[in-house]
Amino acid sequence: MRKEHTRTGGLFKVVGFCMIFAAATVLNANAQTRQAVELIDGRDASAPAPLTVEETRFIVKEVRRQEPVIRQISGLDCEEDETSSLSVGSVIKGSFTKPNAEQKAYLYELCRSGRAFGIGGIVVVEDGRVAAHYVYGENGLDSDIAALPDINRNGFSEIMMVGGGNGQGYTQGAVEIIEFTPGGVHTFGIADTYEDNFGTEGGKKSARAFKVSVLPGKSPVFFREGYVRNGEQGKWTQTVKSEKFRLRLDYEPKWHKIS
């Protein structure tokens, strides 16, 4: 009897330890979620803030000055009227090419090749001078950028590229997180943020969106919440509580440094 009692007591200890460990895991996950920084909410359709006339002129001048190099190094030829297609879309503040620097980064689009591809770039400005100039577009162009608060704690402000597209009645949105480092452009990956079928004919119309957050650290941990709504005017309903996920890296980033 004493031996059996000892076994039962040991079983209770094991079960009790497992319950405590499971509870601690849940509490730790909840604590991480509370400490996470929101990066983007796919339900938000707000437009980027406008630039000043002076800022636009400065970036246009830089792009036109570097245009021969940009076109030579880019892997795409544009189909649009290239003399009038240049536009400057967004500006953000941060330390993009060196720690503790007060810089601005400007997103521009030189021209398009098809629906979503073309030649675009980012110009980083510090103290009224160009600190760096990168060109991209062979994997698709973006409509906006946002500065992130050094999510991997290396001193550089990351840039979130906001993009997406539509076709055959479907609309999709996604973000790519990158940073400029002395070794080149580092990408963390892509997160899908939105999709709908509002432009299709017949059938049920619905949309799905994700809110993406990150727990900063040497190895950032990403979280997302899922939402759905029926119809363009429907109310968003949460379908997925905050959960860890990995950004996808199913493509080859193509960035070219101009200066």
Side-chain angles (χ1 to χ4, degrees), residues 198-241:
F198 295 150
T200 58
E201 296 182 3
K204 183 180 179 181
K205 301 298 187 292
S206 63
R208 183 173 66 158
F210 293 102
K211 182 167 71 172
V212 180
S213 304
V214 63
L215 182 65
K218 187 175 182 180
S219 298
V221 180
F222 294 92
F223 299 85
R224 66 180 175 186
E225 301 173 13
Y227 298 85
V228 298
R229 73 175 178 182
N230 295 319
E232 296 186 56
Q233 304 303 321
K235 182 180 179 181
W236 287 105
T237 302
Q238 186 172 10
T239 56
V240 179
K241 293 184 178 180

Side-chain angles (χ1 to χ4, degrees), residues 50-115:
L51 281 69
T52 66
V53 174
E54 291 75 13
E55 288 177 310
T56 301
R57 287 175 178 171
F58 183 88
I59 300 304
V60 168
K61 182 179 179 181
E62 162 65 13
V63 175
R64 291 304 188 195
R65 183 177 69 86
Q66 298 281 14
E67 191 167 354
V69 178
I70 293 172
R71 294 189 180 280
Q72 181 180 10
I73 203 171
S74 177
L76 289 175
D77 292 323
C78 293
E79 301 171 354
E80 295 183 350
D81 180 0
E82 300 175 1
T83 61
S84 60
S85 59
L86 173 58
S87 62
V88 186
S90 305
V91 59
I92 53 177
K93 296 180 180 181
S95 301
F96 304 108
T97 63
K98 61 183 180 181
N100 302 316
E102 294 184 4
Q103 299 175 326
K104 290 183 177 181
Y106 297 84
L107 176 70
Y108 72 84
E109 182 178 306
L110 178 58
C111 58
R112 290 205 168 218
S113 177
R115 186 185 295 270

Side-chain angles (χ1 to χ4, degrees), residues 10-52:
L11 178 61
F12 284 153
K13 287 181 180 179
V14 172
V15 172
F17 174 79
C18 291
M19 292 177 66
I20 292 173
F21 178 79
T25 301
V26 172
L27 289 173
N28 182 56
N30 291 338
Q32 286 184 327
T33 301
R34 288 194 297 270
Q35 296 170 5
V37 178
E38 181 181 322
L39 301 182
I40 189 169
D41 190 334
R43 299 169 295 173
D44 184 5
S46 58
L51 281 69
T52 66

